[in-house]
Amino acid sequence: MKENQEIPEAGGPLYTHSYTVEPAEGNAQQELPLPLLAKRILEVATLHAESWGIGYSDLIKSRQVWVLSRLSIEMTCYPRIHERYTLETWIEGYNKHFSSRNFAIYGGDGAPCGYARTIWAVINLDTRTSVDIGQIEHIARNIIDHPCPIARQSRVREVHDDKPHTHRVGYIDIDLNRHVNSVKYIEHLLDLFDLDRYDRQRVHRFEISYANEARYGTPLQLLKEEESPDNFALEICDDQTVYCKGRIIFENR
Protein backbone atom coordinates (compact mmCIF):
# COMPACT_ATOMS: atom_id res chain seq x y z
CA MET A 1 0.00 0.00 0.00
CA LYS A 2 1.49 3.35 -1.02
CA GLU A 3 1.21 6.44 1.15
CA ASN A 4 -1.24 8.11 -1.22
CA GLN A 5 -3.48 5.06 -1.53
CA GLU A 6 -7.03 5.76 -0.43
CA ILE A 7 -8.02 4.00 2.79
CA PRO A 8 -11.22 1.98 2.29
CA GLU A 9 -14.28 3.07 4.20
CA ALA A 10 -15.24 1.10 7.30
CA GLY A 11 -17.57 -1.73 6.49
CA GLY A 12 -15.81 -2.88 3.31
CA PRO A 13 -13.90 -6.10 2.71
CA LEU A 14 -10.56 -4.33 3.32
CA TYR A 15 -9.91 -2.42 6.53
CA THR A 16 -6.84 -0.40 7.50
CA HIS A 17 -5.69 1.28 10.68
CA SER A 18 -2.48 3.19 11.39
CA TYR A 19 -0.33 3.59 14.49
CA THR A 20 2.96 5.19 15.48
CA VAL A 21 5.67 3.43 17.49
CA GLU A 22 5.92 5.59 20.59
CA PRO A 23 9.23 5.70 22.52
CA ALA A 24 7.62 4.08 25.57
CA GLU A 25 6.48 1.17 23.38
CA GLY A 26 9.81 0.36 21.72
CA ASN A 27 11.83 -2.71 22.66
CA ALA A 28 15.55 -2.92 23.45
CA GLN A 29 16.31 -2.75 19.73
CA GLN A 30 14.21 0.44 19.39
CA GLU A 31 11.64 -1.37 17.27
CA LEU A 32 7.98 -2.34 17.46
CA PRO A 33 7.89 -5.36 19.84
CA LEU A 34 6.34 -8.54 18.50
CA PRO A 35 3.81 -8.82 21.39
CA LEU A 36 2.61 -5.28 20.67
CA LEU A 37 2.28 -6.12 16.97
CA ALA A 38 0.18 -9.14 17.96
CA LYS A 39 -1.96 -6.86 20.13
CA ARG A 40 -2.43 -4.47 17.19
CA ILE A 41 -3.47 -7.39 15.00
CA LEU A 42 -6.16 -8.33 17.52
CA GLU A 43 -7.27 -4.70 17.79
CA VAL A 44 -7.61 -4.21 14.03
CA ALA A 45 -9.49 -7.49 13.66
CA THR A 46 -11.89 -6.27 16.35
CA LEU A 47 -12.30 -2.85 14.70
CA HIS A 48 -13.09 -4.44 11.35
CA ALA A 49 -15.63 -6.81 12.89
CA GLU A 50 -17.18 -3.88 14.78
CA SER A 51 -17.56 -1.97 11.50
CA TRP A 52 -19.66 -4.88 10.22
CA GLY A 53 -21.77 -5.07 13.38
CA ILE A 54 -20.36 -8.49 14.31
CA GLY A 55 -17.73 -7.41 16.82
CA TYR A 56 -17.54 -7.76 20.58
CA SER A 57 -20.17 -5.05 21.21
CA ASP A 58 -22.81 -6.99 19.29
CA LEU A 59 -21.89 -10.62 19.93
CA ILE A 60 -21.60 -10.17 23.69
CA LYS A 61 -25.35 -9.44 23.78
CA SER A 62 -25.80 -13.13 22.95
CA ARG A 63 -22.98 -14.20 25.29
CA GLN A 64 -20.73 -14.91 22.31
CA VAL A 65 -17.17 -13.71 21.56
CA TRP A 66 -14.52 -14.11 18.89
CA VAL A 67 -11.46 -16.05 20.09
CA LEU A 68 -8.09 -16.33 18.39
CA SER A 69 -7.16 -19.91 17.51
CA ARG A 70 -3.96 -19.50 15.47
CA LEU A 71 -1.55 -16.70 14.63
CA SER A 72 1.41 -16.67 12.22
CA ILE A 73 3.51 -13.54 11.70
CA GLU A 74 6.36 -13.22 9.22
CA MET A 75 8.42 -10.02 9.14
CA THR A 76 11.31 -8.77 6.97
CA CYS A 77 11.78 -5.70 9.20
CA TYR A 78 10.03 -3.98 12.11
CA PRO A 79 8.85 -0.34 12.32
CA ARG A 80 11.16 1.74 14.47
CA ILE A 81 10.49 4.33 17.18
CA HIS A 82 8.53 7.34 15.83
CA GLU A 83 7.72 5.43 12.63
CA ARG A 84 4.12 5.33 11.46
CA TYR A 85 2.89 1.90 10.39
CA THR A 86 -0.37 0.57 8.99
CA LEU A 87 -2.20 -2.74 9.32
CA GLU A 88 -4.49 -3.87 6.53
CA THR A 89 -6.84 -6.81 7.08
CA TRP A 90 -9.31 -8.93 5.13
CA ILE A 91 -11.17 -12.25 5.34
CA GLU A 92 -9.73 -15.04 3.18
CA GLY A 93 -12.37 -17.68 3.90
CA TYR A 94 -14.49 -19.42 6.51
CA ASN A 95 -16.33 -22.61 7.34
CA LYS A 96 -18.75 -23.67 10.06
CA HIS A 97 -16.14 -23.51 12.81
CA PHE A 98 -13.36 -21.10 11.76
CA SER A 99 -12.72 -17.87 9.91
CA SER A 100 -9.33 -17.10 8.32
CA ARG A 101 -8.30 -13.44 8.48
CA ASN A 102 -5.07 -12.13 6.95
CA PHE A 103 -3.02 -8.98 7.50
CA ALA A 104 -0.40 -6.92 5.72
CA ILE A 105 1.87 -4.65 7.78
CA TYR A 106 3.24 -1.54 6.04
CA GLY A 107 6.05 0.69 7.24
CA GLY A 108 6.25 4.46 7.15
CA ASP A 109 7.37 4.44 3.50
CA GLY A 110 4.28 2.46 2.47
CA ALA A 111 6.26 -0.68 1.65
CA PRO A 112 5.24 -4.02 3.22
CA CYS A 113 7.41 -5.11 6.13
CA GLY A 114 5.44 -8.25 6.98
CA TYR A 115 2.26 -10.28 6.85
CA ALA A 116 0.14 -12.30 9.26
CA ARG A 117 -2.37 -15.13 9.06
CA THR A 118 -4.96 -15.68 11.79
CA ILE A 119 -7.68 -18.25 12.44
CA TRP A 120 -10.67 -17.29 14.58
CA ALA A 121 -13.68 -19.03 16.15
CA VAL A 122 -16.79 -17.78 17.90
CA ILE A 123 -17.62 -19.40 21.24
CA ASN A 124 -20.52 -19.23 23.64
CA LEU A 125 -19.24 -17.90 26.96
CA ASP A 126 -21.63 -20.00 29.01
CA THR A 127 -21.09 -23.38 27.34
CA ARG A 128 -17.50 -22.69 26.09
CA THR A 129 -18.52 -24.40 22.83
CA SER A 130 -18.11 -23.11 19.29
CA VAL A 131 -20.85 -21.26 17.45
CA ASP A 132 -21.68 -21.87 13.79
CA ILE A 133 -19.96 -19.02 11.93
CA GLY A 134 -22.08 -19.79 8.86
CA GLN A 135 -24.93 -17.89 10.50
CA ILE A 136 -22.92 -14.64 10.23
CA GLU A 137 -23.96 -13.66 6.73
CA HIS A 138 -21.82 -10.52 6.57
CA ILE A 139 -18.67 -12.65 6.37
CA ALA A 140 -19.88 -14.51 3.28
CA ARG A 141 -20.52 -11.22 1.50
CA ASN A 142 -17.01 -9.90 2.21
CA ILE A 143 -14.64 -12.72 1.28
CA ILE A 144 -11.86 -11.22 -0.82
CA ASP A 145 -9.08 -12.68 -2.95
CA HIS A 146 -6.13 -10.61 -1.71
CA PRO A 147 -2.49 -11.74 -1.62
CA CYS A 148 -0.90 -12.92 1.63
CA PRO A 149 2.47 -14.31 0.49
CA ILE A 150 3.46 -16.24 3.61
CA ALA A 151 3.07 -19.93 4.36
CA ARG A 152 0.25 -21.30 6.45
CA GLN A 153 1.11 -22.49 9.93
CA SER A 154 3.43 -25.46 10.26
CA ARG A 155 2.75 -28.51 12.40
CA VAL A 156 4.47 -28.62 15.79
CA ARG A 157 4.79 -32.11 17.22
CA GLU A 158 5.80 -33.05 20.75
CA VAL A 159 8.45 -30.69 22.11
CA HIS A 160 11.34 -32.14 24.11
CA ASP A 161 13.04 -29.98 26.72
CA ASP A 162 14.95 -31.49 29.67
CA LYS A 163 15.10 -28.17 31.53
CA PRO A 164 11.83 -26.32 30.88
CA HIS A 165 11.22 -22.89 32.34
CA THR A 166 8.30 -22.57 34.74
CA HIS A 167 5.73 -19.85 35.37
CA ARG A 168 2.67 -19.72 37.61
CA VAL A 169 -0.22 -17.79 36.07
CA GLY A 170 -0.66 -14.54 37.95
CA TYR A 171 -3.10 -11.65 38.01
CA ILE A 172 -1.28 -9.76 35.23
CA ASP A 173 -1.66 -12.74 32.87
CA ILE A 174 -5.45 -13.02 32.81
CA ASP A 175 -8.01 -11.11 30.74
CA LEU A 176 -11.72 -10.29 30.88
CA ASN A 177 -12.58 -13.96 30.26
CA ARG A 178 -10.45 -14.86 33.32
CA HIS A 179 -8.01 -16.99 31.35
CA VAL A 180 -4.49 -16.20 30.14
CA ASN A 181 -4.51 -13.41 27.58
CA SER A 182 -3.40 -14.61 24.14
CA VAL A 183 -0.60 -12.02 23.95
CA LYS A 184 0.77 -13.10 27.35
CA TYR A 185 1.53 -16.55 25.95
CA ILE A 186 3.60 -14.85 23.25
CA GLU A 187 5.50 -12.77 25.82
CA HIS A 188 6.34 -15.84 27.89
CA LEU A 189 7.60 -17.74 24.83
CA LEU A 190 9.78 -14.84 23.67
CA ASP A 191 11.30 -14.69 27.16
CA LEU A 192 12.79 -18.16 26.58
CA PHE A 193 15.58 -16.44 24.61
CA ASP A 194 18.19 -14.03 25.99
CA LEU A 195 18.81 -10.41 25.07
CA ASP A 196 22.01 -11.19 23.21
CA ARG A 197 20.11 -13.25 20.64
CA TYR A 198 17.65 -10.41 20.02
CA ASP A 199 20.57 -7.99 19.60
CA ARG A 200 22.08 -10.29 16.95
CA GLN A 201 18.91 -11.58 15.34
CA ARG A 202 15.32 -10.61 14.71
CA VAL A 203 12.24 -12.82 14.79
CA HIS A 204 11.60 -13.62 11.14
CA ARG A 205 8.59 -15.86 11.75
CA PHE A 206 6.47 -16.55 14.81
CA GLU A 207 3.61 -19.04 15.06
CA ILE A 208 1.28 -19.92 17.90
CA SER A 209 -1.69 -22.29 18.08
CA TYR A 210 -3.96 -22.10 21.12
CA ALA A 211 -5.39 -25.38 22.43
CA ASN A 212 -6.75 -24.89 25.97
CA GLU A 213 -7.41 -22.14 28.50
CA ALA A 214 -4.93 -21.66 31.34
CA ARG A 215 -6.43 -19.97 34.36
CA TYR A 216 -5.19 -18.09 37.41
CA GLY A 217 -2.76 -20.08 39.52
CA THR A 218 -1.96 -22.70 36.86
CA PRO A 219 1.69 -23.87 37.09
CA LEU A 220 3.01 -23.73 33.51
CA GLN A 221 6.00 -25.37 31.88
CA LEU A 222 7.56 -23.52 28.94
CA LEU A 223 9.43 -25.78 26.51
CA LYS A 224 11.66 -25.07 23.52
CA GLU A 225 13.49 -27.41 21.16
CA GLU A 226 15.82 -26.36 18.35
CA GLU A 227 14.72 -28.46 15.38
CA SER A 228 17.22 -26.86 13.00
CA PRO A 229 19.58 -23.87 13.30
CA ASP A 230 17.58 -20.85 14.59
CA ASN A 231 14.28 -22.76 14.20
CA PHE A 232 12.64 -23.60 17.54
CA ALA A 233 9.50 -25.57 18.36
CA LEU A 234 7.70 -24.19 21.42
CA GLU A 235 5.10 -25.43 23.89
CA ILE A 236 3.34 -24.26 27.05
CA CYS A 237 1.79 -27.02 29.14
CA ASP A 238 1.41 -28.51 32.59
CA ASP A 239 1.55 -32.15 33.65
CA GLN A 240 -1.79 -32.92 32.01
CA THR A 241 -2.69 -30.24 29.47
CA VAL A 242 -1.10 -28.56 26.46
CA TYR A 243 -2.20 -24.92 26.35
CA CYS A 244 -0.44 -23.81 23.18
CA LYS A 245 2.25 -24.78 20.70
CA GLY A 246 4.31 -22.54 18.49
CA ARG A 247 7.41 -21.90 16.47
CA ILE A 248 10.00 -19.14 16.25
CA ILE A 249 12.48 -18.70 13.42
CA PHE A 250 15.30 -16.19 13.82
CA GLU A 251 17.33 -14.46 11.12
CA ASN A 252 20.46 -12.33 11.40
CA ARG A 253 20.07 -8.58 11.50
Side-chain angles (χ1 to χ4, degrees):
M1 185 187 71
K2 304 302 182 183
E3 281 188 307
N4 59 356
Q5 181 176 333
E6 182 179 354
I7 295 177
E9 294 182 2
L14 278 171
Y15 186 91
T16 65
H17 195 82
S18 296
Y19 301 89
T20 298
V21 184
E22 302 296 340
E25 297 174 334
N27 61 17
Q29 292 73 39
Q30 301 184 27
E31 297 171 338
L32 174 69
L34 183 62
L36 181 55
L37 175 57
K39 183 174 182 289
R40 298 302 189 214
I41 285 171
L42 270 66
E43 286 177 355
V44 173
T46 299
L47 290 170
H48 196 194
E50 289 283 353
S51 76
W52 287 350
I54 59 170
Y56 179 85
S57 300
D58 292 276
L59 293 189
I60 195 63
K61 297 173 185 176
S62 302
R63 298 289 295 163
Q64 298 173 359
V65 291
W66 287 98
V67 293
L68 181 63
S69 176
R70 296 182 181 180
L71 168 65
S72 301
I73 300 173
E74 192 166 305
M75 301 291 288
T76 56
C77 61
Y78 289 82
R80 298 188 64 81
I81 288 175
H82 293 309
E83 184 176 351
R84 187 172 175 82
Y85 62 101
T86 299
L87 272 66
E88 178 182 59
T89 188
W90 64 97
I91 298 292
E92 182 180 60
Y94 77 104
N95 57 33
K96 181 177 180 179
H97 299 291
F98 298 103
S99 171
S100 56
R101 173 183 285 277
N102 298 335
F103 295 80
I105 301 100
Y106 301 97
D109 60 358
C113 52
Y115 295 88
R117 291 182 176 273
T118 61
I119 302 294
W120 297 77
V122 176
I123 66 166
N124 182 291
L125 285 176
D126 296 321
T127 64
R128 313 306 291 183
T129 57
S130 64
V131 174
D132 183 358
I133 295 178
Q135 67 180 309
I136 306 177
E137 297 179 359
H138 204 93
I139 293 180
R141 296 196 300 269
N142 284 277
I143 302 298
I144 184 171
D145 183 13
H146 196 63
C148 184
I150 65 171
R152 288 176 169 79
Q153 195 166 56
S154 63
R155 181 177 177 83
V156 175
R157 303 184 186 277
E158 185 177 356
V159 180
H160 301 281
D161 189 343
D162 294 333
K163 297 180 179 179
H165 287 63
T166 59
H167 173 77
R168 184 175 293 275
V169 176
Y171 168 76
I172 200 65
D173 291 317
I174 60 174
D175 61 15
L176 76 168
N177 294 316
R178 303 183 77 87
H179 61 212
V180 175
N181 180 278
S182 54
V183 176
K184 287 294 181 181
Y185 289 108
I186 298 174
E187 292 178 351
H188 293 318
L189 290 173
L190 292 174
D191 255 348
L192 294 176
F193 304 88
D194 60 28
L195 181 60
D196 179 64
R197 179 180 287 272
Y198 289 110
D199 285 337
R200 292 183 291 106
Q201 298 182 308
R202 69 170 61 90
V203 177
H204 170 60
R205 184 175 173 92
F206 181 87
E207 304 175 0
I208 189 166
S209 177
Y210 301 97
N212 289 287
E213 300 173 313
R215 298 188 176 275
Y216 181 79
T218 303
L220 301 177
Q221 299 177 41
L222 290 79
L223 290 69
K224 67 175 179 180
E225 180 182 1
E226 190 168 17
E227 295 186 334
S228 61
D230 301 322
N231 184 332
F232 293 84
L234 310 170
E235 183 177 309
I236 297 180
C237 62
D238 60 23
D239 292 337
Q240 297 180 323
T241 304
V242 173
Y243 295 102
C244 67
K245 289 189 175 186
R247 182 175 304 281
I248 188 167
I249 300 174
F250 291 96
E251 65 178 5
N252 293 333
R253 291 185 175 276

